[in-house]
Amino acid sequence: TDNTTYNFSAGYASNDGPLIGVNTKRYSVSTNVTSRVGKYIETGINLRLVKENLVQGANGGGDLSNFEAAPWQPIYDKSNPYGYASLYSLPGAITPTTFDFNYLYGPLYTMYQNYLGLLATSSNTFNNQTALGSGYVQVQPLPGLKIKGSLSGQQYAINNNNYISFH
């Protein structure tokens, strides 16, 4: 009608990160409505909802130490149950007070982890939700005099699921 204006928009974005296993998907919805109620009163409301799904990959997806490995260090190993080469060996049992390991390729040439192996045996995801809203009522009892009251709120939820397999 002539007394009401409104807007609605929706968005979607999908971005792949620079490394395998890193990506983001974002969905958003936004609306606002303004309405004149009679000659002296105006009301309005704005709402925005955003949902993000982030996959961070192995080790957060941003650790470039993965590229420090020596070129002869293998990535794949058919004898490993997951198909990826180990970087360390365990000389004995792991106990609450003992965690000994040996580098298979020497400490100078062993990267922190096998990125592709960790990517296949771990998960690091974030599911974020944001809701923003505001509303107002404006009264104009006299010409040139406007009295406005508003209320705003925000809700933000982060859900991080992180699993790393030790093998």
Side-chain angles (χ1 to χ4, degrees), residues 14 67 75 86 103 124 138 154:
S14 178
F67 300 103
I75 295 174
S86 295
Y103 293 102
N124 188 15
Q138 179 175 284
Q154 176 180 359

Side-chain angles (χ1 to χ4, degrees), residues 45-62:
I45 188 168
N46 297 306
L47 296 173
R48 181 167 176 82
L49 305 172
V50 178
K51 179 172 175 48
E52 288 179 307
N53 299 325
L54 293 88
V55 178
Q56 291 293 311
N59 198 22

Side-chain angles (χ1 to χ4, degrees), residues 128-155:
N128 305 333
Q129 296 178 346
T130 305
L132 299 165
S134 66
Y136 74 92
V137 175
Q138 179 175 284
V139 179
Q140 185 175 359
L142 301 169
L145 175 64
K146 294 181 182 180
I147 301 169
K148 185 175 187 179
S150 63
L151 181 65
S152 299
Q154 176 180 359
Q155 180 270 338

